[in-house]
């Protein structure tokens, strides 16, 4: 009986949207209607994202939806910029919300309290270096946490009742990350590209889309290999959606009705063949390397067939340990993706935040001590919210997200000093930054409409390169886990 009722609910909602009704909560501002002048615009490379879809939530605090057509046109591909940035190092860590790392930071839009699903407001308690069990951070967890922009559902996710998601670090807990924010750029509006989790977020990090994938891999049998190497690995994904169905799904996400949203999912093999940024770099003759373990479950390029079975696998897709070798040996490529690996990525549920921060210090110090410091931009993000509370409603661009905020650090001698960046970003913005540097075309609607991150830099005045170095010491992580914020 429940299945019949749910099916009728979804059918009625699709019919309602088709008839022109909008079931959007009224406290978020008007939702843009689909432009009648689209004239049936072609579906973009993200196979369910119509470039004409402007269905957007304006957050409860006046948060913006996706950029308008005029804004996108103004942000169109520009010629290659003449900047001193010759190397971009894109470091991707794991599973932290902005408020978990920077809620207590004295500058920026942080929170020290959070709302529960019953309306109670609690203090964000002291974060610990290590805790178990892991918190829910799947697609459905993100939808429930955001709860239509009310940002009060983080106690309803998996293990949310432990209240570990309502925690925050202070300077004693993550001294290096706060020191980088003191000196360089802290982005307070970097949103994850989708509601979660890791694997599809990493697809966005290389391709500005996730082929509609909504989950980590499902391994039917314990066979060797991963993603394209293993036909037994599957993922859940949205099926191809009509524009009206996409509107309906977005309405269901606003209502945090995950059983109804899941009716639009299918199971597909975890191997894809869409265009990724390395393809554009190859065509333009721009050097790149992707530093991650072969077989790692968050190695996104292992799931891109034409990269996995190409001449680039090996020379360009290499273990993360080779990054320091390349920096110190004078062979750093123009574009680097760097994944720290299990135990050093700060993922909740086991690894130490202290150990992960030390890894970051080691790698940032190596760049600052090298000949590359003068021409490098280091961009550090965390790939999803990890189940942790955040108070800022994400824009609702499409059926995939955006998801909750994550920390963003931009470290470079050319980065603005002690700057809080208020610009709205998502992971596709980093790709837009790289594309703008090299005059490359966008991959999908996401990076086409994304901000290019140039506001984080000041290219008008030559910096004192030595003075801008911030060489930090690694910490002693012994004696943890314990509460390190008093």
């Amino acid at each position: 009986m429940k299945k019949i009722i749910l099916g009728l609910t979804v059918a009625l909602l699709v019919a309602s949207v088709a008839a022109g009704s909008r079931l959007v909560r009224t406290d978020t501002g008007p939702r843009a209607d689909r432009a009648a002048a689209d004239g049936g615009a072609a579906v973009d490379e993200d196979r369910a994202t119509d470039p004409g879809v402007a269905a957007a939530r304006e957050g409860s605090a006046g948060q913006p939806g996706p950029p308008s057509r005029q804004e996108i046109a103004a942000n169109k591909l520009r010629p290659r910029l003449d900047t001193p940035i010759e190397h971009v190092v894109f470091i991707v860590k794991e599973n932290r919300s902005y408020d978990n790392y920077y809620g207590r930071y004295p500058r920026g839009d942080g929170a020290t309290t959070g709302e529960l699903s019953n309306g109670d407001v609690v203090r964000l308690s002291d974060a610990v270096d290590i805790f178990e069990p892991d918190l829910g951070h799947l697609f459905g967890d993100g939808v429930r946490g955001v709860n239509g922009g009310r940002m009060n559902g983080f106690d309803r996710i998996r293990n949310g009742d432990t209240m570990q998601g309502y925690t925050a670090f202070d300077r004693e807990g993550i001294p290096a990350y706060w020191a980088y924010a003191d000196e360089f750029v802290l982005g307070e509006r970097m949103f994850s590209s989708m509601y979660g989790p890791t694997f599809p977020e990493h697809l966005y990090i290389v391709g500005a889309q996730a082929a509609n994938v909504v989950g980590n891999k499902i391994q039917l049998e314990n066979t060797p290999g991963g993603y394209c190497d293993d036909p037994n690995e599957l993922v859940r994904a949205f099926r191809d959606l009509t524009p009206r169905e996409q509107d309906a799904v977005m309405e269901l996400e606003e209502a945090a009705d995950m059983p109804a949203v899941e009716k639009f999912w299918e199971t597909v093999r975890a191997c894809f063949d869409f265009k990724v940024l390395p393809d554009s770099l190859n065509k333009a003759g721009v050097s790149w390397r992707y530093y991650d373990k072969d077989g790692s479950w968050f190695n996104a390029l292992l799931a891109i067939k034409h990269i996995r079975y190409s001449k680039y696998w090996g020379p360009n897709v290499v273990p993360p340990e080779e990054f320091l070798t390349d920096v110190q040996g004078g062979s750093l490529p123009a574009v680097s993706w760097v994944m720290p690996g299990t135990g050093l990525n700060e993922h909740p549920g086991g690894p130490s935040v202290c150990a992960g921060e030390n890894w970051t210090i080691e790698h940032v110090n190596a760049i600052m001590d090298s000949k590359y410091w003068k021409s490098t931009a280091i961009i550090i993000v965390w790939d999803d919210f990890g189940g942790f509370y955040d108070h800022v409603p994400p824009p609702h661009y499409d059926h995939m997200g955006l998801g909750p905020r994550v920390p963003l650090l931009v470290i470079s001698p050319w980065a603005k000093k002690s700057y809080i960046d208020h610009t709205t970003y998502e992971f596709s913005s980093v790709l837009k930054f790289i594309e703008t540097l090299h005059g490359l075309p966008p991959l999908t609607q996401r990076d086409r409409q994304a901000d290019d991150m140039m506001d984080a830099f000041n290219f008008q005045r030559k910096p004192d390169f030595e003075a801008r170095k911030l060489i930090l010491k690694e910490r002693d992580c012994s004696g943890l886990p314990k509460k390190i914020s008093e």
Side-chain angles (χ1 to χ4, degrees):
M1 180 61 72
K2 289 182 178 179
K3 291 183 178 179
I4 294 174
I5 293 172
L6 178 59
L8 288 172
T9 300
V10 173
L12 287 171
L13 181 54
V14 172
S16 175
V17 171
S21 69
R22 295 293 184 183
L23 304 181
V24 178
R25 55 191 174 85
T26 57
D27 64 332
T28 61
R31 177 177 168 184
D33 290 328
R34 184 180 308 281
D38 282 350
V43 173
D44 201 54
E45 291 184 51
D46 188 344
R47 60 190 174 100
T49 304
D50 183 334
V53 174
R57 179 181 67 242
E58 292 187 0
S60 57
Q63 307 302 332
S68 67
R69 288 182 174 278
Q70 292 78 14
E71 290 171 322
I72 293 172
N75 201 22
K76 64 183 179 180
L77 174 67
R78 64 183 69 181
R80 187 188 192 285
L81 285 187
D82 183 16
T83 78
I85 301 299
E86 298 175 1
H87 304 273
V88 177
V89 177
F90 189 6
I91 296 175
V92 184
K93 314 230 47 171
E94 294 277 317
N95 295 42
R96 298 285 167 171
S97 74
Y98 180 95
D99 281 341
N100 179 245
Y101 268 16
Y102 290 101
R104 295 180 177 180
Y105 189 66
R107 300 181 299 126
D109 187 5
T112 57
T113 62
E115 184 179 349
L116 305 180
S117 57
N118 63 3
D120 290 348
V121 176
V122 299
R123 175 181 175 270
L124 299 187
S125 60
D126 298 336
V128 296
D129 187 68
I130 303 173
F131 73 85
E132 294 180 339
D134 192 9
L135 297 169
H137 50 278
L138 300 179
F139 190 95
D141 294 311
V143 170
R144 293 184 188 97
V146 170
N147 194 21
R150 289 175 285 277
M151 309 306 288
N152 63 356
F154 294 89
D155 58 332
R156 296 178 54 231
I157 67 176
R158 179 171 55 87
N159 294 324
D161 57 351
T162 67
M163 297 303 293
Q164 287 284 1
Y166 287 81
T167 59
F169 283 91
D170 64 9
R171 190 177 295 273
E172 183 183 2
I174 46 173
Y177 288 138
W178 281 35
Y180 291 139
D182 292 340
E183 174 63 25
F184 299 105
V185 175
L186 172 64
E188 65 171 10
R189 290 188 57 81
M190 168 61 84
F191 295 91
S192 51
S193 291
M194 55 181 291
Y195 292 107
T198 286
F199 171 57
E201 300 278 16
H202 280 247
L203 290 175
Y204 272 100
I205 284 164
V206 295
Q209 64 154 303
N212 282 329
V213 172
V214 295
N216 291 329
K217 64 183 180 181
I218 306 165
Q219 192 163 10
L220 299 180
E221 299 180 20
N222 189 20
T223 51
Y227 298 127
C228 287
D229 288 349
D230 185 356
N232 291 307
E233 290 188 355
L234 308 174
V235 289
R236 303 301 304 277
F238 279 104
R239 61 173 171 78
D240 286 329
L241 302 175
T242 67
R244 288 174 176 174
E245 286 176 327
Q246 178 171 259
D247 284 349
V249 168
M250 293 175 69
E251 302 287 2
L252 293 168
E253 291 168 349
E254 289 290 320
D257 188 349
M258 278 309 301
V261 171
E262 290 173 9
K263 287 290 183 180
F264 293 89
W265 291 0
E266 62 183 358
T267 302
V268 299
R269 195 182 160 201
C271 184
F272 308 96
D273 219 12
F274 57 82
K275 185 178 180 180
V276 290
L277 186 57
D279 294 318
S280 301
L281 297 173
N282 288 336
K283 186 175 181 179
V286 178
S287 61
W288 65 274
R289 269 191 151 186
Y290 183 93
Y291 298 85
D292 198 0
K293 292 182 179 179
D294 188 355
S296 166
W297 64 273
F298 44 78
N299 187 328
L301 292 184
L302 187 59
I304 305 299
K305 186 176 181 180
H306 68 271
I307 297 290
R308 171 64 187 95
Y309 303 116
S310 74
K311 64 182 181 180
Y312 301 106
W313 198 266
N316 294 75
V317 184
V318 297
E321 294 78 17
E322 291 196 25
F323 179 78
L324 290 179
T325 301
D326 287 348
V327 172
Q328 295 161 356
S331 56
L332 183 68
V335 180
S336 303
W337 288 264
V338 189
M339 317 299 157
T342 303
L344 299 170
N345 57 24
E346 299 154 40
H347 193 297
S352 161
V353 170
C354 175
E357 187 182 53
N358 282 346
W359 180 97
T360 303
I361 292 170
E362 179 186 20
H363 286 68
V364 172
N365 284 353
I367 295 169
M368 290 181 176
D369 278 335
S370 75
K371 66 179 183 180
Y372 297 113
W373 172 237
K374 295 180 179 181
S375 58
T376 295
I378 305 167
I379 299 173
I380 306 176
V381 301
W382 283 253
D383 69 358
D384 66 51
F385 75 110
F388 292 101
Y389 173 79
D390 194 80
H391 77 283
V392 176
H396 202 171
Y397 283 2
D398 51 42
H399 58 291
M400 299 295 284
L402 304 177
R405 285 190 310 171
V406 297
L408 163 68
L409 291 168
V410 180
I411 301 172
S412 171
W414 299 95
K416 291 180 179 177
K417 185 175 177 61
S418 190
Y419 183 66
I420 301 296
D421 193 340
H422 309 293
T423 312
T424 297
Y425 298 127
E426 52 124 335
F427 300 146
S428 303
S429 302
V430 185
L431 304 192
K432 180 64 169 283
F433 174 62
I434 297 167
E435 291 162 354
T436 302
L437 289 178
H438 297 285
L440 303 176
L443 299 165
T444 72
Q445 178 71 1
R446 282 294 195 89
D447 56 332
R448 180 179 294 114
Q449 72 186 29
D451 189 275
D452 61 16
M453 302 189 71
M454 290 298 167
D455 188 56
F457 299 89
N458 179 4
F459 298 124
Q460 303 305 311
R461 174 180 293 183
K462 185 176 180 179
D464 183 332
F465 296 109
E466 285 300 315
R468 295 230 64 190
K469 289 182 179 179
L470 183 64
I471 304 298
L472 300 177
K473 292 184 178 180
E474 297 180 28
R475 284 189 290 158
D476 178 6
C477 299
S478 61
L480 301 176
K482 65 177 182 178
K483 288 196 173 182
I484 49 180
S485 301
E486 298 299 338

